[in-house]
Amino acid sequence: MNTIVLKLSNAQLDQLKTHYATKSVPNKNPYTLFVAKKNGVTITGYTSGKVMFQGPNAQSEAAKWDKAQASIKPNDNKNSPQKTSAVATHLPKDFSKKSIIGSDEVGNGSYFGPLVVCAVYAAKENLSYLKKIGVKDSKMLTDKEIRQLAPKIAETVPFQKLVVTPEKYNEIQPKYNAVRMKVALHNQAIYLLQQKIAPTKAEGILIDQFTSEANYKKYLRQEKNPVTTDLHFITKGEQYHLAVAAASILCRASFLEELEKASKNLGFLLPSGAGNKSDQVAAKILQQGGINLLAKYAKLHFANTKKAEKIAGF
């Protein structure tokens, strides 16, 4: 099965959602904006801005939207030749079988809830067990599966998790743009994990790519303890090593837990993502306690804040 992934703008995502509205199918994944099926192709739009096209006609369907950005991901059929995107070719040979530190983040595209970054050291002797218990891309798992897997992962591999609450996020956001903040968090998680596993050294570090390598390293120079060696960057990193997949699961489990706690504190459900539902809930919080209360639960620099203020009559 071919899998094509595009990184699109919010305007393009809205276009896709409207275009495929008549072909939409139900979904309960909080990180999914929409799922549709057309001509044997499953189209999934994520809050991260990525759109995945899966099926035998995935390439032609994806090309309608952004042919230049289409990249073929690993084929799920183990018996057929695997195709990878060009960006994967720089990874060392047999990279997926090596002892690697992988890092990922969750919550960056959600108005409510924290930003969570996690680094995992998956030694080669643990890879078969991680695969056996079902570790894979967290977006392909249900919330229930995520919560069942996270404790098993935590018991098996060393990890370092950093949770930035919305309150803390709003405090540092004016000084740190979104990319610089994530660079700082990824680097810190990796650095602290390296200290945990010392004197053991990973055979490489794989970061689920959120900016160019040059941009990452530019911001890295501003960090106190920059990790600069054996770094590799690739989008959809969980496709290329289980360390990133495990990190993604631990991140999302923590994000879900924090969002659930916040919902209990407020007495109503806080949605993930940054859609219209978030605007409505934010307006409700504003009416209860103003911007100071909202700042405890939401990332205020999102456009949702202005929309919520209009709804609330502020």
Side-chain angles (χ1 to χ4, degrees):
M1 178 190 294
N2 283 339
T3 299
I4 311 297
V5 178
L6 302 181
K7 177 68 175 179
L8 303 178
S9 67
N10 288 336
Q12 287 173 309
L13 281 173
D14 288 340
Q15 278 186 296
L16 260 73
K17 188 174 182 180
T18 301
H19 180 80
Y20 293 115
T22 58
K23 305 292 183 181
S24 64
V25 296
N27 84 90
K28 296 182 179 180
N29 188 327
Y31 293 90
T32 300
L33 292 173
F34 66 88
V35 177
K37 291 188 177 182
K38 181 182 179 183
N39 299 330
V41 180
T42 300
I43 304 101
T44 307
Y46 295 104
T47 55
S48 63
K50 293 178 182 178
V51 181
M52 183 181 295
F53 298 78
Q54 292 178 298
N57 301 316
Q59 194 166 14
S60 59
E61 190 67 30
K64 297 176 182 178
W65 298 99
D66 197 338
K67 188 175 181 179
Q69 293 190 51
S71 58
I72 302 176
K73 297 299 178 180
N75 195 312
D76 291 332
N77 187 344
K78 296 179 181 179
N79 298 317
S80 60
Q82 291 215 342
K83 298 179 181 179
T84 59
S85 61
V87 72
T89 60
H90 72 274
L91 292 177
K93 184 179 179 181
D94 295 326
F95 189 81
S96 65
K97 300 176 183 178
K98 295 180 183 291
S99 299
I100 297 297
I101 287 177
S103 69
D104 200 1
E105 87 276 340
V106 168
N108 182 63
S110 181
Y111 182 55
F112 293 113
L115 171 60
V116 186
V117 173
C118 185
V120 164
Y121 174 60
K124 60 182 69 174
E125 57 266 27
N126 290 325
L127 296 179
S128 60
Y129 175 73
L130 292 175
K131 187 175 181 180
K132 180 181 177 181
I133 63 175
V135 173
K136 57 183 176 181
D137 183 356
S138 67
K139 295 183 182 69
M140 306 301 176
L141 299 167
T142 65
D143 290 351
K144 183 179 179 181
E145 289 170 330
I146 289 286
R147 288 178 160 173
Q148 289 173 339
L149 275 173
K152 295 177 183 178
I153 294 170
E155 291 172 358
T156 305
V157 294
F159 68 94
Q160 178 64 53
K161 184 171 60 179
L162 302 175
V163 180
V164 182
T165 65
E167 203 164 16
K168 183 65 176 178
Y169 183 99
N170 292 325
E171 180 185 329
I172 63 178
Q173 187 273 325
K175 293 176 285 185
Y176 282 73
N177 64 38
V179 174
R180 186 186 173 189
M181 189 185 300
K182 287 193 286 186
V183 170
L185 291 168
H186 277 269
N187 178 73
Q188 182 70 353
I190 292 166
Y191 172 77
L192 292 174
L193 180 56
Q194 286 181 325
Q195 308 312 301
K196 281 185 179 181
I197 66 174
T200 300
K201 291 187 178 180
E203 296 178 86
I205 299 167
L206 182 60
I207 298 171
D208 194 48
Q209 189 167 11
F210 53 86
T211 189
S212 69
E213 183 174 348
N215 207 34
Y216 183 96
K217 290 182 176 178
K218 179 188 76 173
Y219 287 117
L220 190 60
R221 289 194 287 270
Q222 302 177 53
E223 294 306 305
K224 182 180 179 181
N225 299 299
V227 177
T228 59
T229 58
D230 298 321
L231 294 176
H232 302 280
F233 304 85
I234 191 167
T235 57
K236 302 296 289 180
E238 60 276 3
Q239 299 274 350
Y240 300 97
H241 202 282
L242 289 174
V244 179
S248 177
I249 290 169
L250 291 178
C251 280
R252 188 170 162 198
S254 182
F255 175 84
L256 291 171
E257 182 180 348
E258 292 298 319
L259 201 63
E260 187 176 86
K261 286 180 183 176
S263 296
K264 287 181 179 178
N265 287 340
L266 283 168
F268 49 84
L269 183 67
L270 292 179
S272 63
N276 293 333
K277 193 172 182 180
S278 295
D279 302 339
Q280 300 294 330
V281 173
K284 187 175 180 179
I285 296 172
L286 284 171
Q287 290 167 343
Q288 285 190 1
I291 197 70
N292 290 334
L293 181 61
L294 184 61
K296 293 182 178 181
Y297 300 100
K299 303 175 183 76
L300 295 182
H301 73 101
F302 277 43
N304 302 80
T305 301
K306 294 296 183 184
K307 294 176 183 177
E309 287 175 339
K310 288 183 180 180
I311 295 170
F314 277 51

